[in-house]
Amino acid sequence: MMEFNSSFYFSIFIFLLTYAGIMSERIPRSLCALLGAGLVVYSGLVTQEMALRHFIDFNTIGLLAGMMILIGVVKKSGFFEAMALWSVKISKGRPKELLIILGLITGFCASFMDAVTAVLLITPMTISLCRRIHVTPIPTLIAEILLSNIGGSGTMVGDPPNVMIGSATHLVFNDFAMNTGPIALLNVAACIIYLEIIYGKELPKTEMTAEELGKISISSVITDYSILKKSVTILALTIFGFIVHNLIGIESATIALTGGVLAILACSVDPHEIFRDVDWDSLFFFIGLFIVVGGLETTGVINALAQAGISAVGGDPEALTFTILWLSGIASAFIDNIPFTATMIPLIHNMQDLLGLAHADYMWWALSIGACYGGNGTIIGASPNVIVAALAAKEGYNITFGHFMLKCFPMMLVTLLTSTIYLYVRYFLFGTP
């Protein structure tokens, strides 16, 4: 029987205290994570050197920071406003079609620039467009939340949990595209059908007149064509870099930061202005979380949990995979999927080591899918949800916890069910890749 010392229990206490602070939403989550990290270091569970060398994942921090800088430059061109007006023209101002088009745009953008950035850019435009056609933006905003989390799950850079998983494993951009991408496409289609069922009758069947549509000029919102051409080209090259980064031996963080710096230089924009748009709160949140979870690793908590998890399913990899999927999904509906993923990564590493399954990648796909899709269960399940709700509230549109859960929790369960079938058929029925 394992014996645990005081450090073991103290690391758990710090972890739970940090989680409680994050969930309370009374203290900024970055501050909660940094306070928890401070307790871990000052108590001697992790030294500063250990934190910097072993626990703070620079690849995750660098990848997110680089993409934030790059998207900040693209944003200055008016590209995203142009996409929004294009959506109105294509849909002819019909609320149902606009909901689907904006939702799909959000999901697509989330796949390549991260879900948080996608909703930050598209939510204000959505509210403005819905006011223009005189409908409530809440159904469209909910569609964007659902599709941002689903779309973001399809690539390594799409959602923070995937960024963390990719950085902590041997998995690269193409691995995510080939393994989480297919089920993401299937669930995007399922989500569109679901949105039609729950909102199809609620949305008015109005449309803008030809005269009103004619007054909409997409080119009028492009503020700088030079920045548009250069920044979008660099964005495309950066995405291509992610695809081939394992072939050229350069980490994804380096590619993202290179793209960001090149965009600033090529477009001659003020770097100070771009850096102000970087989400420093999220970056420091990650740094603090890595150290807090490092405390659990050094004291043996992660190893103990791994052994307990294996014992609970009798060491069966299939049962363990589906447990990871559903645990990640249900848990991520009620707690932010970022700290949950940070905790699960070393736990899965330990379970794989104990079972001798070093390359059981299907466990990572189960974590990725569960954490990303589970975020659709409640309004607090993922960062994009919280951001959209906050931006909507500022404009006088309140997306309540109860309304969101009533509409979206069933969809979350549907995506987890389809993912269970997908994982079983692809990795267990016909063997692992």
Side-chain angles (χ1 to χ4, degrees), residues 236-270:
L237 290 172
T238 302
I239 293 169
F240 178 73
F242 292 143
I243 295 172
V244 301
H245 82 90
N246 61 313
L247 300 177
I248 59 179
I250 300 177
E251 293 293 337
S252 53
T254 302
I255 291 171
L257 288 167
T258 301
V261 172
L262 283 177
I264 290 175
L265 291 173
C267 300
S268 301
V269 297
D270 182 0

Side-chain angles (χ1 to χ4, degrees), residues 64-74 257 260-261 264 274-275 278:
L64 290 171
M67 290 306 291
M68 289 174 185
I69 293 169
L70 178 51
I71 296 305
V73 178
V74 176
L257 288 167
V261 172
I264 290 175
I274 300 300
F275 291 153
V278 171

Side-chain angles (χ1 to χ4, degrees), residues 37-80:
L39 284 174
V40 168
V41 173
Y42 276 104
S43 63
L45 300 178
V46 170
T47 65
Q48 178 178 305
E49 184 179 5
M50 289 170 63
L52 293 173
R53 285 191 174 188
H54 302 295
F55 297 125
I56 297 176
D57 186 349
F58 175 78
N59 197 52
T60 296
I61 304 299
L63 174 56
L64 290 171
M67 290 306 291
M68 289 174 185
I69 293 169
L70 178 51
I71 296 305
V73 178
V74 176
K75 179 183 175 182
K76 287 185 69 64
S77 69
F79 174 73
F80 298 102

